[in-house]
Amino acid sequence: MTKEELKKQVCEAIDKRYEEMVAFGESVFAEPELGYKETKTSAKIQKEFDKLGIPYTTGWGLTGVKGRLTGAASKRTIAVMGELDSVVCRRHPSADPVTGAAHCCGHNVQVSDMLGVAMALKDTNAMQYLGGDVVFFAVPSEECIEIEYREQLMEKGKIHFFGGKQEIIRQGGFDDIDAAMQMHVNPTDDPEGDIRINARCNGFITKLIDYHGHAAHAAAAPHEGVNALNACMLGVMGVNALRETFQEKDHVRFHPIITSGGDLVNVVPDFVRMESYVRAASADAMKHYNEAVDRALKAGADAVGATCEIKNMPGYLPMFQNQAMCDLLEANSNEIFGKEHVDAQPPFDSGSTDMGDISYIMPCIHPYVGSVHGALHSAEFDLFQKETAYAKTTKVLAMTLIDLLYADAASLEGILKGYTPLMTKDEYLKFMESLRSTK
Ligand SMILES: [Zn+2]
């Protein structure tokens, strides 16, 4: 069996499984769960692995599932990943009425595509032609949300990081993996759908900011109060005054929300809580701008005589994809999507993903697949290009996997030979700890 014949057979197998893949994706879409709570979704994956006869382990980042298919010669291992969690988007028509959870980031497609690769490799007995293993990793909690809930999980010792992939790195779940891949849906105007290869994106530091003032009657005795809301607003204005110092190359973002802004309109607010990220395009820039932002936030408190407590916590790292793997993905995408639907030099993405963390310790690819109308995380989110999201994408991931592992996995070996990770696992864990501070 030549490599090209194997790719062709695997693509045909994906076509045959198409309806099943869409049905699985839609079943996950119908029961959205938030990060570190994805028990039903995790059970669905386990059931599919059972059906396919794929051995797996559970408990990775609480709900993660790690399945493995063994190649003819198990020289290397590539992970195909899918994220289990959804976002909160109460206005989305599909939102869970109790939790507000909705799959407005399309992670349901990721887990389905991951299973589609597994199905196709199984259906074609492809592993006998591959010189390495394939891990199918359903990973929890990509969205960095519900910070207070996750802090409680941390206090109970159940997790150590907000991000599921981060937690699994810490647990050692990636220790036996050499390279990783996963897709992510993306908005597009292209009616046929498109694929963005090798996009870079921001990393971030997570912040909880508490302003403490002094309560007093807001009309009768405001002079006896210290207004925590004014302190907070001045803090935000201070950061706004810094924005002219944010360099374009660093792609800095600061986008706070106030989660507690006072209890009663006729009382001077004595407590205001704000959540934000400081995002930037490199690990150094993240630290640099975060220091400046902290200074400005504190100045808001100083101005009115309030106090400010800032808790900094590790968010995600910027993403740097592997060029050689991207080149393989691009060639396969040209074939399946058509060259006019492939963008191999996409604009910088100022968002973030914990795939960035993976990209620091091993080569990876994370294509953004244009298949959605409406913004990610919004009530307008609508997956209009199912064939692109489910069939075409699964094909290009499977084909790239075959390129990397075919025969004696020479292609992946070649990539790993010239590869130095941005950080070792130990350096990564140390760096993440260095981001924690309370001021
Ligand atoms: Zn997402």
Side-chain angles (χ1 to χ4, degrees):
M1 175 93 69
T2 68
K3 188 174 77 173
E4 291 313 313
E5 282 165 1
L6 182 62
K7 283 177 164 183
K8 191 164 169 278
Q9 283 194 11
V10 163
C11 287
E12 284 165 8
I14 289 166
D15 283 332
K16 282 188 196 139
R17 291 278 199 166
Y18 177 70
E19 297 297 332
E20 211 177 325
M21 285 173 60
V22 173
F24 184 83
E26 289 179 351
S27 120
V28 172
F29 185 83
E31 290 188 285
E33 297 175 296
L34 298 175
Y36 290 131
K37 303 173 186 171
E38 312 97 326
T39 50
K40 283 187 213 162
T41 315
S42 177
K44 285 179 191 180
I45 303 278
Q46 292 172 45
K47 202 173 148 196
E48 293 301 314
F49 281 166
D50 285 335
K51 277 202 271 181
L52 289 166
I54 295 178
Y56 58 87
T57 49
T58 59
W60 297 104
L62 301 184
T63 56
V65 190
K66 184 182 183 182
R68 181 183 288 268
L69 282 177
T70 308
S74 293
K75 291 190 167 172
R76 295 289 187 178
T77 300
I78 298 179
V80 181
M81 296 192 286
E83 293 158 357
L84 294 161
D85 62 328
S86 63
V87 297
V88 176
C89 186
R90 292 189 184 279
R91 286 198 308 115
H92 196 275
S94 72
D96 182 302
V98 178
T99 62
H103 269 293
C104 303
C105 204
H107 297 182
N108 57 309
V109 177
Q110 296 177 9
V111 284
S112 188
D113 286 7
M114 175 197 77
L115 283 173
V117 175
M119 288 168 177
L121 294 180
K122 265 289 198 182
D123 292 349
T124 55
N125 290 315
M127 295 310 293
Q128 62 183 306
Y129 305 108
L130 302 185
D133 292 0
V134 183
V135 155
F136 301 96
F137 220 149
V139 294
S141 189
E142 190 277 329
E143 305 290 348
C144 191
I145 56 173
E146 294 195 301
I147 304 301
E148 290 188 40
Y149 168 72
R150 292 183 198 179
E151 278 204 298
Q152 288 165 19
L153 288 180
M154 282 184 190
E155 276 161 26
K156 290 179 194 155
K158 293 195 169 175
I159 59 168
H160 194 72
F161 289 117
F162 293 139
K165 297 186 195 72
Q166 305 178 315
E167 185 63 12
I168 297 173
I169 292 172
R170 186 188 68 84
Q171 288 179 316
F174 287 99
D175 288 357
D176 57 358
I177 293 171
D178 299 292
M181 57 172 70
Q182 73 163 67
M183 61 84 73
H184 198 294
V185 301
N186 203 46
T188 186
D189 296 327
D190 186 335
E192 289 177 53
D194 55 27
I195 184 164
R196 288 181 172 191
I197 292 165
N198 209 359
R200 280 186 53 205
C201 73
N202 267 336
F204 68 93
I205 292 171
T206 304
K207 310 178 73 63
L208 271 184
I209 305 119
D210 288 349
Y211 285 96
H212 296 274
H214 186 73
H217 195 284
H223 55 282
E224 290 175 8
V226 175
N227 193 318
L229 184 59
N230 283 340
C232 174
M233 290 192 295
L234 284 169
V236 172
M237 284 160 64
V239 179
N240 290 343
L242 284 174
R243 288 186 194 270
E244 67 182 18
T245 69
F246 296 170
Q247 295 192 64
E248 275 79 356
K249 70 178 173 61
D250 294 326
H251 298 275
V252 186
R253 294 286 186 275
F254 173 74
H255 43 79
I257 57 167
I258 291 176
T259 54
S260 174
D263 293 326
L264 202 65
V265 69
N266 54 13
V267 175
V268 170
D270 63 347
F271 176 74
V272 170
R273 170 166 281 191
M274 191 158 67
E275 269 180 35
S276 191
Y277 302 158
V278 169
R279 303 195 203 233
S282 70
D284 285 344
M286 281 160 54
K287 277 193 153 179
H288 168 76
Y289 290 105
N290 192 55
E291 286 291 321
V293 165
D294 282 352
R295 201 175 57 222
L297 293 175
K298 176 179 175 293
D302 289 345
V304 299
T307 58
C308 176
E309 185 182 339
I310 301 171
K311 201 168 179 184
N312 290 311
M313 293 160 282
Y316 300 162
L317 291 184
M319 182 163 64
F320 297 92
Q321 302 185 46
N322 182 266
Q323 186 63 55
M325 284 173 72
C326 286
D327 291 344
L328 295 172
L329 178 66
E330 184 185 349
N332 291 318
S333 299
N334 285 341
E335 191 179 329
I336 300 296
F337 282 71
K339 213 173 171 25
E340 65 277 27
H341 304 291
V342 179
D343 184 355
Q345 287 179 312
F348 188 89
D349 176 353
S350 298
S352 309
T353 164
D354 62 358
M355 191 65 163
D357 297 62
I358 300 295
S359 83
Y360 265 70
I361 61 171
M362 67 179 67
C364 73
I365 46 174
H366 185 273
Y368 286 94
V369 177
S371 50
V372 166
H373 285 152
L376 301 181
H377 298 197
S378 82
E380 288 72 38
F381 176 96
D382 177 40
L383 181 75
F384 76 96
Q385 243 306 343
K386 287 186 185 169
E387 196 205 332
T388 295
Y390 287 107
K392 288 182 191 172
T393 308
T394 306
K395 285 177 190 173
V396 297
L397 291 178
M399 289 163 82
T400 305
L401 189 75
I402 291 168
D403 283 330
L404 290 164
L405 291 182
Y406 183 73
D408 55 356
S411 171
L412 179 59
E413 285 294 347
I415 289 170
L416 293 169
K417 212 172 167 188
Y419 177 78
T420 311
L422 288 165
M423 291 180 187
T424 64
K425 178 184 163 186
D426 286 346
E427 286 165 350
Y428 165 77
L429 291 172
K430 272 195 195 112
F431 178 79
M432 294 302 271
E433 288 315 314
S434 78
L435 300 179
R436 283 187 212 275
S437 67
T438 303
K439 297 179 183 174

